[in-house]
Short mmCIF file of all heavy atoms in Angstrom, two decimals:
data_model
loop_
_atom_site.label_atom_id
_atom_site.label_comp_id
_atom_site.label_asym_id
_atom_site.label_seq_id
_atom_site.Cartn_x
_atom_site.Cartn_y
_atom_site.Cartn_z
N ILE B 1 82.89 -11.58 -126.79
CA ILE B 1 81.45 -11.83 -126.78
C ILE B 1 81.07 -12.46 -125.45
O ILE B 1 81.92 -12.94 -124.70
CB ILE B 1 81.00 -12.74 -127.94
CG1 ILE B 1 81.66 -14.13 -127.82
CG2 ILE B 1 81.29 -12.10 -129.28
CD1 ILE B 1 81.12 -15.15 -128.81
N ASN B 2 79.78 -12.45 -125.16
CA ASN B 2 79.28 -13.10 -123.95
C ASN B 2 79.39 -14.61 -124.08
O ASN B 2 79.42 -15.17 -125.18
CB ASN B 2 77.84 -12.70 -123.68
CG ASN B 2 76.91 -13.07 -124.82
OD1 ASN B 2 77.02 -12.52 -125.91
ND2 ASN B 2 76.00 -14.00 -124.58
N GLY B 3 79.46 -15.29 -122.94
CA GLY B 3 79.67 -16.73 -122.95
C GLY B 3 78.46 -17.55 -122.58
O GLY B 3 77.39 -17.42 -123.16
N GLY B 4 78.60 -18.41 -121.56
CA GLY B 4 77.56 -19.37 -121.22
C GLY B 4 76.46 -18.82 -120.35
O GLY B 4 76.50 -17.68 -119.87
N LEU B 5 75.47 -19.66 -120.11
CA LEU B 5 74.36 -19.33 -119.23
C LEU B 5 74.84 -19.24 -117.78
O LEU B 5 75.91 -19.76 -117.44
CB LEU B 5 73.26 -20.38 -119.36
CG LEU B 5 72.58 -20.46 -120.73
CD1 LEU B 5 71.84 -21.78 -120.87
CD2 LEU B 5 71.64 -19.29 -120.92
N PHE B 6 74.03 -18.62 -116.94
CA PHE B 6 74.42 -18.45 -115.55
C PHE B 6 73.19 -18.30 -114.68
O PHE B 6 72.08 -18.03 -115.16
CB PHE B 6 75.33 -17.22 -115.38
CG PHE B 6 74.72 -15.94 -115.90
CD1 PHE B 6 73.96 -15.13 -115.07
CD2 PHE B 6 74.89 -15.57 -117.23
CE1 PHE B 6 73.39 -13.96 -115.55
CE2 PHE B 6 74.32 -14.40 -117.72
CZ PHE B 6 73.57 -13.59 -116.88
N ASP B 7 73.37 -18.48 -113.39
CA ASP B 7 72.30 -18.29 -112.42
C ASP B 7 72.07 -16.79 -112.25
O ASP B 7 73.02 -16.03 -111.98
CB ASP B 7 72.68 -18.92 -111.08
CG ASP B 7 71.58 -18.81 -110.05
OD1 ASP B 7 71.44 -17.73 -109.45
OD2 ASP B 7 70.85 -19.80 -109.85
N PHE B 8 70.83 -16.33 -112.40
CA PHE B 8 70.54 -14.90 -112.35
C PHE B 8 70.78 -14.31 -110.96
O PHE B 8 71.01 -13.11 -110.82
CB PHE B 8 69.09 -14.63 -112.76
CG PHE B 8 68.90 -14.61 -114.25
CD1 PHE B 8 68.19 -15.62 -114.88
CD2 PHE B 8 69.43 -13.60 -115.03
CE1 PHE B 8 68.01 -15.60 -116.25
CE2 PHE B 8 69.26 -13.58 -116.40
CZ PHE B 8 68.54 -14.58 -117.01
N THR B 9 70.73 -15.13 -109.93
CA THR B 9 70.91 -14.63 -108.57
C THR B 9 72.39 -14.55 -108.18
O THR B 9 72.87 -13.53 -107.68
CB THR B 9 70.18 -15.52 -107.55
OG1 THR B 9 68.78 -15.58 -107.90
CG2 THR B 9 70.33 -14.97 -106.14
N THR B 10 73.12 -15.63 -108.46
CA THR B 10 74.51 -15.70 -108.03
C THR B 10 75.50 -15.36 -109.14
O THR B 10 76.68 -15.14 -108.87
CB THR B 10 74.84 -17.10 -107.52
OG1 THR B 10 74.70 -18.04 -108.61
CG2 THR B 10 73.90 -17.50 -106.38
N HIS B 11 75.03 -15.33 -110.37
CA HIS B 11 75.88 -15.14 -111.54
C HIS B 11 76.99 -16.19 -111.63
O HIS B 11 78.06 -15.94 -112.18
CB HIS B 11 76.49 -13.73 -111.56
CG HIS B 11 75.57 -12.73 -112.20
ND1 HIS B 11 74.57 -12.12 -111.50
CD2 HIS B 11 75.48 -12.27 -113.47
CE1 HIS B 11 73.90 -11.30 -112.30
NE2 HIS B 11 74.44 -11.37 -113.52
N VAL B 12 76.73 -17.37 -111.10
CA VAL B 12 77.65 -18.49 -111.25
C VAL B 12 77.40 -19.14 -112.60
O VAL B 12 76.26 -19.39 -113.00
CB VAL B 12 77.45 -19.52 -110.12
CG1 VAL B 12 78.26 -20.78 -110.38
CG2 VAL B 12 77.84 -18.91 -108.77
N HIS B 13 78.46 -19.41 -113.34
CA HIS B 13 78.36 -20.04 -114.65
C HIS B 13 77.62 -21.37 -114.54
O HIS B 13 77.86 -22.17 -113.65
CB HIS B 13 79.76 -20.26 -115.22
CG HIS B 13 79.78 -21.03 -116.50
ND1 HIS B 13 79.37 -20.49 -117.70
CD2 HIS B 13 80.16 -22.31 -116.77
CE1 HIS B 13 79.50 -21.40 -118.65
NE2 HIS B 13 79.98 -22.52 -118.11
N ASP B 14 76.69 -21.60 -115.47
CA ASP B 14 75.86 -22.80 -115.49
C ASP B 14 76.57 -23.88 -116.29
O ASP B 14 76.59 -23.85 -117.52
CB ASP B 14 74.50 -22.47 -116.11
CG ASP B 14 73.56 -23.67 -116.14
OD1 ASP B 14 73.98 -24.76 -115.74
OD2 ASP B 14 72.41 -23.50 -116.58
N GLY B 15 77.16 -24.86 -115.61
CA GLY B 15 77.84 -25.93 -116.31
C GLY B 15 79.33 -25.92 -116.03
O GLY B 15 79.78 -25.56 -114.94
N ILE B 16 80.11 -26.32 -117.03
CA ILE B 16 81.55 -26.41 -116.83
C ILE B 16 82.28 -25.37 -117.67
O ILE B 16 81.77 -24.88 -118.68
CB ILE B 16 82.08 -27.82 -117.17
CG1 ILE B 16 81.83 -28.15 -118.64
CG2 ILE B 16 81.47 -28.85 -116.26
CD1 ILE B 16 82.41 -29.48 -119.05
N LYS B 17 83.47 -25.07 -117.24
CA LYS B 17 84.34 -24.17 -118.00
C LYS B 17 85.78 -24.56 -117.72
O LYS B 17 86.08 -25.20 -116.69
CB LYS B 17 84.10 -22.70 -117.64
CG LYS B 17 84.42 -22.35 -116.20
CD LYS B 17 84.12 -20.90 -115.91
CE LYS B 17 84.51 -20.51 -114.47
NZ LYS B 17 83.65 -21.15 -113.46
N VAL B 18 86.66 -24.22 -118.64
CA VAL B 18 88.08 -24.48 -118.46
C VAL B 18 88.82 -23.17 -118.72
O VAL B 18 88.67 -22.57 -119.79
CB VAL B 18 88.60 -25.57 -119.43
CG1 VAL B 18 90.09 -25.80 -119.23
CG2 VAL B 18 87.82 -26.88 -119.24
N ILE B 19 89.58 -22.72 -117.75
CA ILE B 19 90.35 -21.49 -117.89
C ILE B 19 91.81 -21.79 -117.59
O ILE B 19 92.14 -22.23 -116.48
CB ILE B 19 89.82 -20.38 -116.97
CG1 ILE B 19 88.37 -20.02 -117.39
CG2 ILE B 19 90.71 -19.15 -117.02
CD1 ILE B 19 87.73 -18.96 -116.53
N ASP B 20 92.64 -21.60 -118.60
CA ASP B 20 94.07 -21.90 -118.49
C ASP B 20 94.31 -23.32 -117.99
O ASP B 20 95.17 -23.56 -117.14
CB ASP B 20 94.77 -20.89 -117.59
CG ASP B 20 96.17 -20.54 -118.11
OD1 ASP B 20 96.55 -21.05 -119.19
OD2 ASP B 20 96.87 -19.77 -117.44
N GLY B 21 93.55 -24.26 -118.54
CA GLY B 21 93.73 -25.68 -118.24
C GLY B 21 93.05 -26.19 -117.01
O GLY B 21 93.09 -27.40 -116.73
N VAL B 22 92.39 -25.32 -116.24
CA VAL B 22 91.73 -25.72 -114.99
C VAL B 22 90.23 -25.83 -115.21
O VAL B 22 89.57 -24.83 -115.53
CB VAL B 22 92.04 -24.73 -113.86
CG1 VAL B 22 91.31 -25.16 -112.58
CG2 VAL B 22 93.54 -24.64 -113.62
N LEU B 23 89.67 -27.03 -115.03
CA LEU B 23 88.24 -27.26 -115.20
C LEU B 23 87.51 -27.03 -113.90
O LEU B 23 87.93 -27.51 -112.84
CB LEU B 23 87.99 -28.69 -115.68
CG LEU B 23 86.53 -29.08 -116.00
CD1 LEU B 23 86.49 -30.16 -117.08
CD2 LEU B 23 85.79 -29.60 -114.77
N THR B 24 86.42 -26.27 -113.96
CA THR B 24 85.54 -26.10 -112.81
C THR B 24 84.10 -26.31 -113.25
O THR B 24 83.76 -26.16 -114.42
CB THR B 24 85.68 -24.70 -112.18
OG1 THR B 24 85.42 -23.70 -113.19
CG2 THR B 24 87.07 -24.49 -111.61
N GLY B 25 83.25 -26.64 -112.30
CA GLY B 25 81.83 -26.83 -112.59
C GLY B 25 81.50 -28.29 -112.87
O GLY B 25 82.35 -29.18 -112.81
N THR B 26 80.24 -28.52 -113.18
CA THR B 26 79.74 -29.86 -113.43
C THR B 26 78.58 -29.81 -114.40
O THR B 26 77.92 -28.77 -114.54
CB THR B 26 79.29 -30.52 -112.11
OG1 THR B 26 78.92 -31.88 -112.36
CG2 THR B 26 78.09 -29.80 -111.53
N VAL B 27 78.33 -30.91 -115.08
CA VAL B 27 77.12 -31.05 -115.89
C VAL B 27 76.08 -31.70 -114.98
O VAL B 27 76.18 -32.89 -114.66
CB VAL B 27 77.36 -31.91 -117.14
CG1 VAL B 27 76.06 -32.06 -117.94
CG2 VAL B 27 78.45 -31.30 -118.01
N TYR B 28 75.13 -30.92 -114.51
CA TYR B 28 74.16 -31.44 -113.55
C TYR B 28 73.01 -32.15 -114.26
O TYR B 28 72.81 -31.99 -115.47
CB TYR B 28 73.62 -30.30 -112.68
CG TYR B 28 72.79 -29.28 -113.44
CD1 TYR B 28 71.42 -29.45 -113.59
CD2 TYR B 28 73.38 -28.16 -114.00
CE1 TYR B 28 70.65 -28.52 -114.28
CE2 TYR B 28 72.63 -27.23 -114.70
CZ TYR B 28 71.26 -27.42 -114.83
OH TYR B 28 70.52 -26.51 -115.54
N ASN B 29 72.26 -32.92 -113.51
CA ASN B 29 71.10 -33.63 -114.06
C ASN B 29 69.86 -32.76 -113.92
O ASN B 29 69.44 -32.45 -112.80
CB ASN B 29 70.88 -34.95 -113.32
CG ASN B 29 72.05 -35.89 -113.45
OD1 ASN B 29 72.74 -35.88 -114.46
ND2 ASN B 29 72.30 -36.70 -112.43
N PRO B 30 69.26 -32.31 -115.02
CA PRO B 30 68.11 -31.40 -114.94
C PRO B 30 66.79 -32.15 -114.74
O PRO B 30 66.65 -33.33 -115.05
CB PRO B 30 68.12 -30.72 -116.31
CG PRO B 30 68.66 -31.78 -117.23
CD PRO B 30 69.69 -32.52 -116.41
#
């Protein structure tokens, strides 16, 4: 299934994710 939200221009995942134990991203202040 589809996952999290993303930036429509860059398609960068919005927020954090963990893949095989590696965390990337941040919880930004909106």
